[in-house]
């Protein structure tokens, strides 16, 4: 995930200057803060929030403690990090559950923020957690919005409720009674996108709120939003007293300053993030992790969590054993590919590794190549997979024909395999082993 | 009611907060550091971006020195000129018919809605329009375009969800050519510009259009959400790298967002800005005019 990447790079650059110089003068801190301010503004942090942030950090940084410390650069990073965390809220906020079911979640936001998509993702996530959600189509304005949610519900494997384009307040009310009757413990209401300044449409939301008394009112915000994020969040919060925020499209390369601003102006937590086009591409928002991403430290925690979900620990232990004995085979290689695909986008994963942000170009990571590689490995015999050294010229020709690929592609796979083998061998002795060897 | 009044009506909200802030900035009479600081904040808060803001202010200061500007009022006019000069470069040429307009952009910016409005607009001008539903990815995207096509009473070419978008475009171009269409408008799936595979897919679609209808006036138009911040630059950069954009359209400027990124885009890419969307109806899709855009910010 390129999340906050550029801001992180920028801060890294500033702090590398600080670290090299040893002890700092007030003037130098002022200089650094000026650059942080520009970086925050370029990251779309609201300019007033940025101003506040700079003021707080400066006050803390220009103290004696920093000036007399031996590694001032590290101390400044620590202070900036702490300030970022405190700005975004200090812990991950979970979804509230109503004491008497159903739990009702009302989704709202501007046009195109990603509400309908997020409804399906939430439904899918809750279903995985053992709930029985009902998706309710209350966007009666946008052409085919109801149809879109219906397909989303089907993809998520959850129940769906619609009443055509009648009054949304009525649809929502009827949906709640329907949910009670059918035993749905969670109701997710999709509403039409609207401008926060549209009196009529904002009133409609207030009426839905009064009618169904939602447990959660989640404002959906596009993470690419600029300075406007503050106006949107403030206005929706004033009218509806929202309970939280959902950030969408975080798999883009936006620096995502909106995340910083919204929490600062509303005081409401960011609960979830949309991180891809697949229905499972939703994750909780962790302010502390986000802060370390901002500082370019990578998101080690998310990486490890993802890896643990996807990887079969026993298989990994076996792989480690074989690596130690230098017995890495194509079957292991295939297994790796499969585990990587389970974890999601490779470029996203790499970006989360500390030190990798900014060091590689996401464009260099070609996922379609993995498909090609997999098809080639599938065309090998069991014996070939287990004993890669027996793959000679005529076998290569046969494998190429069998997989419908060229001999060059087969050669390229074998070369990559050898390189990976070497890399894993080295990694097992070094720093990477801690990250990949054990955790994966 | 002319173009300007509609632009002003639609952009009233955009204009209000911006010009209120400007008024505040211009109330003093001294061109001192406080004045420039205030101006800087006004520009930044409109999403003009740190870099472009800095450049605008530098240019303004030079103008002030060169022309011996003393009052904040004169300075306001000078600022207007600086901004208009930047945007003058990106006023678009007229379309030549037959033309193909391929509409691209990230998710949720209003591509399909814009196409619906365009279809109505050109239909009203007496042009024969064909719309092509090549967003075969998002659920119900084709249904959404279908509703718009019905409203505009224009021909739509579509396929099933999950179909190859390039083949839908191929069919769309053939159908448009055989009907002697003046305007073929292609809807594509929203895609984040940093997704390599999706951008490759777009390149493929682009090649189909170039190959199948080389004699058409071909426009590759990115739609950008007016509430976007500095990410607009990255969007234009990567879409441009993939398919050489020819036009930019900015939507959703009827809110309180200022769309200031337009200025940095103009400086960086010099890609013409074709339309700006300031409301729900087809009439609210306005031709972009530099002076009007800047005027509507200041009036």
């Amino acid at each position: 995930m390129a999340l906050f990447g550029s801001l992180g790079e920028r801060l890294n650059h500033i702090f590398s200057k600080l670290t090299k110089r040893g002890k700092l003068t007030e003037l130098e801190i002022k200089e650094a803060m000026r650059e942080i301010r520009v970086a925050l503004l370029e990251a779309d942090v609201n300019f007033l929030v940025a101003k506040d942030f700079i003021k707080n950090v400066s006050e803390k940084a220009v103290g004696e403690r920093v000036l007399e410390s031996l590694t001032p650069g590290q101390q400044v990073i620590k202070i900036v990090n702490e300030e970022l965390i405190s700005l975004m809220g200090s812990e991950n906020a979970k979804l509230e559950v109503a004491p008497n079911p159903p739990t009702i979640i009302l989704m709202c936001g501007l046009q195109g923020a990603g509400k309908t998509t997020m409804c399906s993702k939430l439904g899918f996530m809750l279903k995985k957690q053992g709930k029985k959600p009902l998706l309710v189509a209350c966007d009666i304005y946008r052409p085919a919005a109801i149809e879109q949610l219906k397909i989303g519900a089907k993809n998520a494997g959850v129940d769906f409720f619609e009443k055509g384009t009648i009054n949304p307040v009525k649809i929502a009310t009827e949906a709640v009674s329907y949910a009670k009757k059918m035993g749905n413990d969670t109701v997710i209401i999709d509403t039409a996108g609207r401008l926060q300044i549209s009196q009529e449409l904002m009133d409609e939301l207030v009426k839905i709120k009064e009618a169904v008394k939602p447990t959660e009112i989640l404002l959906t915000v596009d993470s690419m939003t600029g300075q406007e994020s503050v106006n949107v969040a403030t206005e929706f919060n004033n009218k509806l007293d929202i309970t939280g925020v959902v950030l969408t499209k975080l798999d883009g390369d936006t620096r995502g300053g909106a995340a910083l601003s919204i929490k600062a102006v509303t005081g409401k937590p960011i609960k979830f993030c949309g991180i891809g086009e697949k229905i499972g591409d939703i994750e909780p928002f962790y302010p502390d992790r986000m802060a370390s991403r901002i500082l370019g430290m990578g998101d080690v925690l998310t990486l490890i969590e993802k890896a643990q979900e996807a990887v079969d620990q026993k298989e990994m232990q076996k792989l480690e054993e074989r690596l130690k004995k230098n017995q890495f085979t194509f079957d292991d290689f295939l297994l790796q590919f499969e585990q990587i695909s389970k974890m999601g986008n490779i470029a996203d994963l790499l970006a989360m590794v500390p030190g990798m942000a900014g060091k590689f170009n996401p464009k260099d990571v070609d996922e379609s190549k993995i498909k090609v590689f997999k098809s080639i490995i599938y065309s090998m015999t069991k014996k070939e997979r287990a004993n890669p050294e027996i793959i000679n010229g005529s076998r290569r020709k046969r494998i190429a024909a069998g997989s419908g690929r060229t001999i060059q592609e087969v050669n390229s796979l074998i070369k990559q395999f050898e390189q990976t083998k070497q890399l894993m061998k080295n990694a097992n002795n070094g720093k990477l082993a801690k990250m990949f060897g054990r955790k994966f | 009611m002319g173009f300007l009044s509609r632009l002003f009506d639609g952009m009233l909200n955009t204009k209000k907060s911006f010009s209120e802030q400007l008024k505040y900035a211009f109330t003093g009479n001294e061109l001192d550091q406080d004045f420039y600081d205030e101006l800087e904040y006004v520009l930044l808060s409109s999403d003009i971006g740190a870099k472009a803001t800095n450049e605008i202010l530098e240019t303004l200061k030079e103008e002030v020195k060169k022309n011996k500007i003393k009052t904040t009022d004169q300075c306001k006019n000078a600022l207007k000129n600086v901004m208009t000069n930047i945007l003058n470069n990106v006023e678009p040429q007229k379309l030549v018919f037959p033309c193909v307009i391929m509409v691209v952009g990230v998710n949720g910016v209003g591509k399909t809605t814009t196409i619906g409005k365009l279809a109505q607009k050109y239909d009203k001008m007496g042009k024969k329009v064909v719309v092509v539903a090549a967003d075969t990815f998002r659920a119900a995207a084709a249904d959404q375009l279908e509703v718009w096509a019905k409203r505009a009473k224009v021909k739509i070419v579509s396929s099933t969800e999950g179909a190859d978008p390039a083949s839908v475009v191929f069919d769309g171009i053939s159908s448009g050519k055989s009907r002697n269409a003046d305007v073929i408008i292609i809807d594509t799936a929203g895609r984040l510009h940093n997704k390599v595979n999706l951008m490759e897919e777009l390149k493929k679609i682009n090649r189909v259009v170039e190959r199948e209808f080389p004699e058409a006036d071909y426009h590759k138009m990115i739609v950008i959400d007016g509430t976007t911040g500095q990410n607009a630059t990255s969007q234009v950069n990567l879409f441009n790298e993939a398919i050489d954009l020819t036009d930019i359209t900015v939507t959703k400027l009827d809110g309180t967002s200022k769309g200031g990124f337009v200025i940095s885009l103009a400086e960086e890419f010099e890609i013409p800005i074709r339309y700006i969307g300031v409301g729900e109806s087809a009439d609210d899709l306005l031709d972009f005019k530099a002076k009007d855009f800047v005027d509507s910010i200041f009036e």
Side-chain angles (χ1 to χ4, degrees):
Chain A
M1 196 173 314
L3 197 62
F4 291 112
S6 310
L7 176 57
E9 281 159 33
R10 180 134 197 155
L11 292 179
N12 265 345
H13 177 67
I14 295 165
F15 291 132
S16 73
K17 271 198 274 177
L18 292 188
T19 315
K20 276 174 203 151
R21 281 190 201 163
K23 289 193 178 180
L24 292 166
T25 64
E26 282 192 21
L27 194 76
E28 281 166 338
I29 287 186
K30 213 175 162 190
E31 181 79 17
M33 290 309 156
R34 192 174 298 146
E35 288 198 49
I36 289 176
R37 176 179 167 269
V38 173
L40 291 174
L41 288 171
E42 285 181 351
D44 292 322
V45 174
N46 179 267
F47 70 102
L48 290 174
V49 175
K51 200 176 172 183
D52 247 24
F53 180 83
I54 295 301
K55 199 171 143 249
N56 284 337
V57 177
S58 297
E59 273 167 14
K60 285 177 187 166
V62 186
E64 257 174 77
R65 201 164 58 92
V66 172
L67 293 174
E68 285 174 6
S69 100
L70 287 170
T71 56
Q74 286 167 1
Q75 290 242 9
V76 177
I77 288 174
K78 190 169 160 276
I79 294 168
V80 171
N81 187 40
E82 282 168 2
E83 278 303 310
L84 283 175
I85 292 172
S86 90
L87 194 65
M88 288 187 291
S90 35
E91 63 195 51
N92 160 35
K94 296 211 158 41
L95 273 183
E96 287 294 321
V97 178
N100 300 313
T103 298
I104 297 166
I105 304 170
L106 179 65
M107 303 293 285
C108 58
L110 298 182
Q111 289 94 340
K115 289 174 296 301
T116 310
T117 303
M118 192 43 82
C119 283
S120 319
K121 286 181 178 179
L122 276 175
F124 180 74
M125 184 190 80
L126 290 169
K127 194 193 168 205
K128 268 207 306 194
Q129 294 169 3
K131 305 267 192 232
K132 194 170 180 257
L134 176 71
L135 300 197
V136 181
C138 280
D139 180 355
I140 59 165
Y141 306 99
R142 182 164 60 91
I146 298 172
E147 184 64 18
Q148 187 187 346
L149 187 69
K150 190 177 178 181
I151 296 169
K154 199 176 139 213
N155 291 342
V158 301
D159 300 328
F160 172 72
F161 184 90
E162 66 147 309
K163 278 270 154 179
T165 54
I166 67 166
N167 184 340
V169 182
K170 202 156 177 253
I171 302 173
T173 316
E174 284 185 28
V176 174
S177 333
Y178 177 83
K180 282 179 186 158
K181 204 169 72 193
M182 304 304 286
N184 291 100
D185 49 20
T186 314
V187 176
I188 303 171
I189 301 171
D190 185 25
T191 63
R194 65 201 73 213
L195 286 171
Q196 77 277 12
I197 48 161
S198 160
Q199 192 67 44
E200 194 188 331
L201 288 174
M202 290 304 283
D203 284 349
E204 179 194 282
L205 277 181
V206 173
K207 280 182 195 143
I208 295 178
K209 179 189 171 178
E210 283 164 358
V212 302
K213 308 218 162 27
T215 328
E216 290 271 11
I217 301 174
L218 299 179
L219 175 65
T220 309
V221 181
D222 185 329
S223 60
M224 290 176 273
T225 310
Q227 300 290 319
E228 180 73 352
S229 64
V230 162
N231 297 335
V232 175
T234 307
E235 204 53 35
F236 271 91
N237 193 37
N238 286 348
K239 291 263 160 59
L240 293 165
D241 191 18
I242 59 168
T243 59
V245 175
V246 177
L247 270 184
T248 59
K249 308 175 203 173
L250 269 175
D251 46 331
D253 61 355
T254 176
R255 301 180 195 181
L260 289 154
S261 315
I262 292 171
K263 180 69 207 304
V265 296
T266 64
K268 300 297 165 68
I270 299 168
K271 299 206 168 185
F272 296 100
C273 301
I275 52 158
E277 300 205 323
K278 293 191 214 85
I279 196 146
D281 291 335
I282 174 173
E283 69 177 26
F285 178 82
Y286 298 102
D288 49 342
R289 297 177 189 183
M290 194 70 88
S292 59
R293 272 184 192 168
I294 293 172
L295 294 174
M297 292 173 190
D299 193 345
V300 192
L301 292 169
T302 305
L303 182 66
I304 291 167
E305 195 173 76
K306 277 196 160 193
Q308 278 171 342
E309 264 178 30
V311 174
D312 184 329
Q313 292 294 334
K314 273 186 195 160
E315 287 293 338
M316 284 322 289
Q317 266 174 5
K318 271 196 241 166
L319 178 63
E320 265 199 53
E321 287 304 308
R322 282 205 294 278
L323 267 173
K324 275 184 199 148
K325 293 178 200 154
N326 201 10
Q327 287 174 338
F328 188 60
T329 69
F330 272 111
D331 282 317
D332 300 322
F333 204 34
L334 194 61
L335 186 75
Q336 278 200 317
F337 283 148
E338 271 157 13
Q339 286 177 337
I340 286 172
S341 347
K342 261 195 264 174
M343 279 186 269
N345 184 296
I346 300 172
D348 291 352
L349 284 167
L350 280 178
M352 283 191 259
V353 178
M356 287 300 274
K359 288 214 176 108
F360 79 103
N361 185 346
K363 284 186 210 156
D364 294 341
V365 183
D366 185 358
E367 293 203 43
S368 64
K369 219 170 174 178
I370 288 188
K371 275 190 199 156
V372 174
F373 281 175
K374 273 162 88 172
S375 72
I376 294 173
I377 298 177
Y378 285 135
S379 292
M380 293 175 181
T381 64
K382 275 188 182 159
K383 202 173 158 196
E384 283 163 350
R385 287 193 221 174
N387 308 290
E389 60 281 359
I390 66 165
I391 303 176
N392 57 20
S394 73
R395 281 180 192 267
R396 285 180 199 209
K397 221 184 253 173
R398 196 209 72 242
I399 293 166
S403 58
R405 299 289 163 186
T406 63
I407 295 199
Q408 284 75 23
E409 282 172 310
V410 176
N411 286 340
S412 145
L413 167 72
I414 292 172
K415 202 172 148 200
Q416 285 248 1
F417 170 76
E418 291 298 338
Q419 280 170 354
T420 308
K421 194 170 163 183
Q422 196 55 43
L423 185 78
M424 305 260 323
K425 214 172 124 192
N426 296 344
N428 221 24
N429 305 321
K431 196 175 141 202
L432 267 174
K434 288 195 186 94
M435 292 226 31
F436 292 103
R438 272 177 222 159
K439 305 295 184 196
F440 276 47
Chain B
M1 63 152 203
F3 168 89
L4 263 181
S5 70
R6 250 205 330 268
L7 178 62
F8 289 159
D9 285 349
M11 292 185 75
L12 197 66
N13 298 301
T14 304
K15 192 184 68 185
K16 215 184 199 170
S17 40
F18 193 90
S19 67
E20 265 166 19
Q21 288 172 70
L22 276 180
K23 258 181 216 149
Y24 181 56
F26 286 119
T27 42
N29 259 321
E30 294 269 322
L31 300 181
D32 53 10
Q33 191 54 43
D34 276 357
F35 170 76
Y36 284 115
D37 282 352
E38 192 62 43
L39 212 51
E40 185 195 25
Y41 271 129
V42 173
L43 296 176
L44 285 174
S45 70
S46 71
D47 286 317
I48 284 180
K51 192 168 156 260
T53 294
N54 196 34
E55 282 167 9
I56 289 170
L57 288 180
E58 287 309 308
T59 317
L60 181 65
K61 280 177 190 168
E62 277 168 31
E63 291 290 311
V64 165
K65 214 172 167 185
K66 201 170 73 191
N67 301 318
K68 302 194 172 62
I69 290 171
K70 291 271 162 10
T71 68
T72 51
D73 226 30
Q74 288 171 307
C75 195
K76 176 180 165 178
N77 279 328
L79 177 61
K80 246 167 124 170
N81 285 338
V82 170
M83 290 163 79
T84 311
N85 282 342
I86 296 168
L87 292 176
N88 269 336
N89 284 336
V90 291
E91 276 193 12
Q93 305 284 321
K94 279 210 165 113
L95 294 180
V96 180
F97 301 101
C99 72
V100 176
I101 306 173
M102 178 165 78
V103 180
V104 303
V106 302
N107 316 65
V109 293
K111 286 179 293 301
T112 309
T113 306
T114 300
I115 290 169
K117 291 178 185 174
L118 279 178
Q120 286 185 351
K121 198 181 178 88
Y122 288 107
D123 184 65
K124 260 192 197 163
M125 283 165 60
K127 301 291 172 194
K128 188 176 259 184
V129 181
V130 169
V131 294
V132 184
D135 179 357
T136 56
F137 181 80
R138 183 170 61 85
D143 297 320
Q144 186 183 347
L145 190 61
E146 190 120 10
V147 174
W148 278 105
K150 262 190 198 144
R151 277 184 204 168
K153 299 186 188 72
V154 303
K155 160 88 179 165
I156 178 168
V157 176
S158 60
S159 180
T160 51
E161 209 176 299
D164 175 18
S167 78
V168 182
V169 168
F170 180 90
D171 292 345
I173 299 275
S174 322
S175 166
K177 276 164 86 174
S178 69
R179 294 166 162 263
N180 285 322
D182 301 300
V183 189
I184 300 173
I185 313 173
I186 301 167
D187 190 16
T188 63
R191 67 198 73 225
L192 287 172
H193 42 293
N194 58 339
K195 306 257 164 152
V196 181
N197 293 350
L198 296 179
M199 295 309 279
E200 287 300 322
E201 179 192 88
L202 193 60
K203 284 185 195 168
K204 191 176 156 196
I205 298 173
N206 181 42
R207 284 195 293 270
V208 170
V209 180
E210 281 171 348
R211 193 183 62 220
E212 296 306 317
F213 206 176
E215 60 275 32
D217 180 24
Y218 182 22
H219 290 261
K220 293 164 272 189
M221 183 167 87
I222 186 172
V223 177
I224 304 173
D225 186 324
T227 58
T228 308
Q230 299 312 299
N231 194 249
T233 307
S234 180
Q235 291 173 24
V236 172
N237 188 26
L238 291 180
F239 273 98
N240 193 37
E241 234 170 57
I243 57 164
D244 286 324
L245 295 170
T246 59
D247 301 75
I248 295 171
T249 284
V250 182
T251 57
K252 308 185 196 176
L253 283 178
D254 45 338
T256 51
S257 53
K258 335 276 194 290
F261 59 80
V262 162
I263 292 188
S264 18
L265 291 183
E267 290 209 298
E268 201 157 330
F269 301 99
E270 296 184 19
I271 296 168
I273 297 164
R274 176 77 44 190
Y275 304 108
I276 54 172
V278 295
E280 297 285 321
S281 83
D283 290 340
D284 295 326
L285 194 63
L286 307 177
D287 290 336
F288 175 80
K289 294 205 171 63
K291 193 174 172 298
D292 294 348
F293 191 85
V294 175
D295 277 348
S296 70
I297 287 171
F298 281 85
E299 287 304 317

